[in-house]
Amino acid sequence: MPGIVVVGAQWGDEGKGKVVDILTEHAHVVVRYAGGPNAGHTLVVGNEKVIVRLVPSGILREGTACVLAQGMVIDPQRLCDEIDELKKRGYQRAGELHISDRAHAILSYHRLVDGLREQTAGALGTTKRGIGPCYEDKAARRGVPMGALRDLRELRELAGRGLEAWKPVIAALGGTAPTLESVLSEIEPFAARLAPRLCDTAALVDEALRAKKTVLFEGAQGTLLDVDHGTYPFVTSSSAVAGGACTGAGVGPTRIERVVGLVKAYCTRVGAGPFPTELKDETGERLRKVGDEFGSVTGRPRRTGWLDLPALRYAARINGLDRIAITKLDVLTGLPKLRVCVAYETPSGRTESFPTSGLEQCKPVYRDYEGWSENISGARAMGDLPRAAREYVAMIEDAAGCEAMIVSVGSRRDETIQK
Ligand code: IMP
């Protein structure tokens, strides 16, 4: 089974860390292909919780090569801090990363601009990690590829050019631009550490695929946050969908054999933007509390709501899902009635499709499902689940048009049904 993409089917935070960690048992290489330290993938091993932001979730498995591909934006200091933290916790392999020399570096002025914009009326609720401004520089062809860390003179020149371009923006936003010296002094100490890890990661991935090794492409964020296919402009700045694995990691579509969509049993969203099934009541609060729905990067409470099937059908189509992994099913335990959005009422009538515009005007049409009260965290096979939970899973499979290969019933690695 060579190329497998794992992609979020909602607004991110579907539980990618755990699922990628489980699937990595069968993978030789794990590749992050988009986004940067805006992601926060939570891994729970034993009683320990590890959150990785830049490092691929495969890092905890011996013998798995981890790749940060060119579709990513990387904050060198954060990456080094994350490696140090993982090593401190005993994951000595954390340093064994392959970093694309064509991924782009996030510098201090990117974070500054992101933060200043978030204080304006047009705030999107970003993670303020400099993601948007860094991708803007990349598209404007004045970015700083990670390869520049090999040559401090080139780094100075490129960072100087980037900084000059942002100065008027920073001033207009009421901020004070950093000096070039301070930008460089922040990044230079990490250049020497990361430079030996830089390489052509697309060639490395190709070599692995040719050798019939299993390569797992780990998506970040989710389909509805994708810059092309998400709820624009309330999206991130990268290609979070499955197709992003091809452009972001440099592999052709023919090399991808399977696309696994991650579907949380309910919906969440962080930051601004339309969310038709949002619950602003006690049930929403309960989902937040039981599901521990607080941003792993920013600590912000996540908005919570019922499962949205038009959105899931859309994600299945855009990504070409052929398997799903259902996460956090246990969080629904104890709710007597589960509502699921099956269609929308729009100003022009009822639709079962996910609209590409005007989502704000859509009102969900719900169908109610029976809940269950039994603790399901001990379930290891579908037959261990109560009937109502099995029916809920079957309903999700039906909407996605494919089978669930994993149903997660708790945060621990073993609290999982593998079909
Ligand atoms: P940015 O990616 O920091 O620019 O943020 C843009 C939007 O994407 C905001 O609404 C963020 O809350 C959201 N976002 C970015 N990364 C994640 C993630 O990993 N999980 C969930 N939401 C995210």
Side-chain angles (χ1 to χ4, degrees):
M1 170 51 62
I4 306 173
V5 181
V6 178
V7 65
Q10 293 153 328
W11 278 284
D13 306 316
E14 297 94 351
K16 280 181 281 296
K18 172 174 169 175
V19 173
V20 172
D21 176 53
I22 288 172
L23 294 177
T24 305
E25 201 180 338
H26 314 286
H28 302 96
V29 185
V30 180
V31 185
R32 267 281 305 269
Y33 60 83
N38 47 350
H41 296 170
T42 307
L43 312 168
V44 180
V45 185
N47 293 326
E48 253 204 287
K49 191 164 152 181
V50 182
I51 296 176
V52 287
R53 305 188 191 293
L54 284 157
V55 171
S57 301
I59 198 70
L60 306 189
R61 302 276 189 185
E62 282 295 324
T64 308
C66 285
V67 172
L68 285 79
Q70 59 267 52
M72 288 189 74
V73 288
I74 298 172
D75 186 323
Q77 174 167 6
R78 276 192 181 272
L79 179 56
C80 289
D81 288 351
E82 195 171 322
I83 292 170
D84 291 343
E85 176 63 25
L86 284 164
K87 284 189 171 169
K88 213 162 71 193
R89 294 197 185 204
Y91 299 106
Q92 293 307 319
R93 293 190 53 248
E96 294 170 32
L97 297 169
H98 307 274
I99 305 165
S100 169
D101 51 11
R102 284 185 284 173
H104 277 243
I106 298 175
L107 303 184
S108 62
Y109 48 82
H110 295 129
R111 288 193 305 271
L112 175 66
V113 172
D114 201 359
L116 288 169
R117 282 177 176 164
E118 282 302 303
Q119 291 166 19
T120 67
L124 298 175
T126 74
T127 58
K128 303 187 204 169
R129 296 292 187 262
I131 308 295
C134 186
Y135 278 116
E136 282 173 60
D137 270 357
K138 173 177 163 176
R141 287 148 294 178
R142 54 160 194 256
V144 180
M146 289 291 285
L149 299 189
R150 294 189 185 112
D151 176 351
L152 295 185
R153 261 189 321 192
E154 189 190 351
L155 180 63
R156 171 177 288 273
E157 193 186 313
L158 293 177
R161 210 167 58 181
L163 177 61
E164 283 310 307
W166 285 111
K167 273 183 181 169
V169 179
I170 294 170
L173 288 166
T176 309
T179 62
L180 179 57
E181 293 316 314
S182 83
V183 172
L184 293 171
S185 67
E186 192 190 90
I187 186 175
E188 278 175 3
F190 306 102
R193 278 188 64 185
L194 296 180
R197 302 269 153 237
L198 298 171
C199 64
D200 176 357
T201 53
L204 188 148
V205 169
D206 179 61
E207 206 175 297
L209 287 168
R210 280 177 195 279
K212 304 258 176 284
K213 291 186 174 169
T214 300
V215 180
L216 206 94
F217 298 91
E218 177 183 4
Q221 289 79 51
T223 305
L224 303 176
L225 287 174
D226 180 273
V227 68
D228 292 301
H229 305 286
T231 51
Y232 193 87
F234 302 100
V235 294
T236 190
S237 306
S238 65
S239 295
V241 296
C246 293
T247 49
V251 294
T254 51
R255 317 303 293 278
I256 307 294
E257 293 229 340
R258 173 138 294 165
V259 182
V260 183
L262 293 190
V263 185
K264 188 150 60 179
Y266 50 97
C267 284
T268 60
R269 164 158 219 173
V270 200
F275 183 2
T277 64
E278 182 167 15
L279 288 165
K280 293 182 176 164
D281 59 5
E282 262 171 44
T283 308
E285 191 52 49
R286 186 183 184 283
L287 289 176
R288 183 159 35 250
K289 223 161 125 188
V290 179
D292 194 18
E293 297 294 354
F294 295 89
S296 52
V297 174
T298 57
R300 289 180 289 177
R302 293 178 187 144
R303 300 158 66 193
T304 51
W306 296 119
L307 186 65
D308 184 331
L309 297 189
L312 174 57
R313 286 191 285 265
Y314 175 75
R317 168 161 65 83
I318 293 291
N319 294 297
L321 300 184
D322 67 351
R323 287 287 187 281
I324 52 170
I326 299 172
T327 61
K328 293 198 160 182
L329 188 65
D330 54 301
V331 174
L332 299 181
T333 300
L335 288 170
K337 182 176 72 179
L338 304 172
R339 311 204 87 181
V340 175
C341 168
V342 292
Y344 300 127
E345 282 303 344
T346 78
S348 50
R350 182 183 158 127
T351 176
E352 294 188 355
S353 305
F354 188 75
T356 47
S357 64
L359 190 58
E360 296 82 356
Q361 280 98 53
C362 290
K363 292 217 171 12
V365 177
Y366 287 113
R367 181 170 162 194
D368 290 345
Y369 283 79
E370 199 186 315
W372 58 90
S373 55
E374 300 90 330
N375 181 344
I376 59 169
S377 293
R380 297 295 175 266
M382 285 304 289
D384 298 338
L385 290 176
R387 180 187 49 81
R390 285 201 307 271
E391 281 175 10
Y392 196 79
V393 167
M395 171 272 297
I396 298 175
E397 290 179 321
D398 188 48
C402 55
E403 221 185 291
M405 62 194 291
I406 287 175
V407 179
S408 172
V409 290
S411 55
R412 288 203 331 252
R413 213 181 236 177
D414 63 315
E415 289 173 329
T416 307
I417 297 170
Q418 293 202 49
K419 281 172 71 185

